[in-house]
Amino acid sequence: MLKVRNLTKIFNLGTINENRVLSNFNLHIKEKEFVSVIGGNGSGKTTLLNMIAGVYMPESGQIILDSKDISKMPEYKRSAFMGRVFQDPMRGTAGDMEIMENLAIANRRGKVRGLRWGVKKEEKDFFGEYLKLLGLGLETRLCVKVGLLSGGQRQALTLLMATLQKPKILLLDEHTAALDPKTAVKVLNLTEELVAKQQLTTIMITHNMKDAIRLGNRLIMMHEGKVVYDVSGEEKKSLKVTDLLDRFEGISDRMLLA
Ligand SMILES: Nc1ncnc2c1ncn2[C@@H]1O[C@H](COP(=O)(O)OP(=O)(O)O)[C@@H](O)[C@H]1O
Ligand SMILES: [Mg+2]
């Protein structure tokens, strides 16, 4: 499904601040795989997602999605078939637009535009039904401006929008880190539900090792731009947080990961 091949990303190349974040990085992800990614601060996790999404171009290497080389495809084109949710709840939605308008934009993603902008009745009903999934009562507030929602509600809405048109891959970057613990659990459960329902190929970065173990069927640990641990199946299911810390201790200070 996704092949990241010999990918190299160097920030500020040729300057005193040169920073080689990914160096000949390789990662293959199968269709319907749900990969959680952990690793210390600055280990290159966000950069990896940014490279997959086309935010930055690589110095060398390829990104192949569905047997197609998308390495040189600009971000806006990739966004037609990728779903993204960021740590910052403000980033994924337009605060000065209504819930319904936000959903309408998400629903038109990757489709030919130029048609009428109005939201059709069927579409409105569909959004209402879809919002019920959240269990937040938003289905009765379709005309409310998103800026009035709480961070958790907004993040749940972003997640819904990212998956409204089934993405080829869903990219989550610490998307519950800015939420209070209770809301974080809700959004995480919703993540699990949406991914399972649509059988989405997913990469989820998290700093929460319990979440990384609980969600997904594969776990990778990154350190200094490399995959230092890659586990799936039964072995992943039986992992404990202490196992991850022990692994990490072999290469760095376990405090960095914790
Ligand atoms: N746009 C950028 N310009 C320069 N350096 C960057 C940029 N984005 C990330 N970096 C650097 O790349 C390294 C990895 O960062 P990042 O991928 O955000 O790590 P992580 O998400 O694992 O914490 C860090 O040293 C960071 O400072
Ligand atoms: Mg990051």
Side-chain angles (χ1 to χ4, degrees):
M1 177 67 182
L2 177 77
K3 286 190 179 136
V4 176
R5 240 189 242 154
N6 295 323
L7 199 72
T8 296
K9 180 65 206 165
I10 307 167
F11 287 113
N12 307 312
L13 183 63
T15 73
I16 192 161
N17 294 319
E18 184 168 307
N19 187 358
R20 183 178 283 262
V21 179
L22 300 173
S23 193
N24 290 309
F25 186 92
N26 286 287
L27 181 66
H28 291 193
I29 294 178
K30 293 193 203 99
E31 197 172 357
K32 299 175 189 172
E33 212 161 39
F34 184 165
V35 186
S36 48
V37 181
I38 57 169
N41 259 338
S43 57
K45 305 180 298 295
T46 295
T47 302
L48 174 64
L49 284 209
N50 279 332
M51 303 296 293
I52 294 170
V55 179
Y56 309 124
M57 293 296 137
E59 266 54 61
S60 61
Q62 284 106 36
I63 295 169
I64 320 276
L65 188 72
D66 257 356
S67 315
K68 193 176 168 202
D69 189 341
I70 59 164
S71 313
K72 298 206 164 62
M73 186 186 284
E75 181 184 8
Y76 79 92
K77 282 196 180 156
R78 295 190 209 187
S79 70
F81 50 82
M82 289 184 186
R84 291 196 82 177
V85 186
F86 307 91
Q87 181 171 338
D88 181 359
M90 302 302 136
R91 248 184 106 174
T93 44
D96 54 356
M97 291 172 84
E98 297 168 3
I99 293 178
M100 184 162 62
E101 292 168 331
N102 272 274
L103 284 164
I105 291 171
N107 203 33
R108 283 163 176 70
R109 190 165 58 115
K111 289 184 183 165
V112 182
R113 269 177 292 174
L115 297 169
R116 277 176 300 130
W117 256 109
V119 179
K120 292 190 222 88
K121 167 90 170 65
E122 314 89 82
E123 217 177 6
K124 204 171 158 179
D125 293 344
F126 167 62
F127 294 157
E129 283 307 307
Y130 215 64
L131 281 170
K132 277 190 193 156
L133 282 178
L134 301 183
L136 297 171
L138 295 183
E139 63 275 11
T140 61
R141 302 173 66 195
L142 276 169
C143 294
V144 165
K145 293 251 160 72
V146 166
L148 295 173
L149 304 182
S150 70
Q153 288 174 326
R154 216 161 151 165
Q155 204 63 334
L157 182 62
T158 305
L159 196 58
L160 217 56
M161 286 167 60
T163 56
L164 199 56
Q165 287 292 326
K166 185 181 179 182
K168 281 186 193 291
I169 189 158
L170 177 64
L171 306 171
L172 309 169
D173 192 352
E174 306 208 29
H175 69 308
T176 60
L179 308 176
D180 65 83
K182 236 174 117 181
T183 314
V185 169
K186 270 194 184 168
V187 172
L188 216 59
N189 289 344
L190 176 71
T191 306
E192 225 180 347
E193 202 177 308
L194 289 172
V195 169
K197 193 178 254 173
Q198 300 195 60
Q199 307 231 298
L200 300 175
T201 309
T202 305
I203 305 179
M204 179 184 79
I205 297 174
T206 176
H207 65 257
N208 186 315
M209 282 174 276
K210 279 189 194 149
D211 294 344
I213 292 169
R214 188 169 75 77
L215 271 74
N217 46 27
R218 180 173 170 194
L219 182 150
I220 69 174
M221 184 189 289
M222 283 179 66
H223 181 63
E224 294 179 350
K226 289 189 182 64
V227 173
V228 291
Y229 185 43
D230 186 344
V231 61
S232 50
E234 289 306 312
E235 195 185 345
K236 176 186 180 274
K237 277 188 207 152
S238 61
L239 273 177
K240 297 200 174 46
V241 169
T242 49
D243 298 330
L244 293 177
L245 290 171
D246 289 347
R247 281 250 157 206
F248 199 69
E249 199 167 47
I251 46 170
S252 188
D253 184 349
R254 63 194 274 158
M255 282 305 288
L256 283 175
L257 189 65

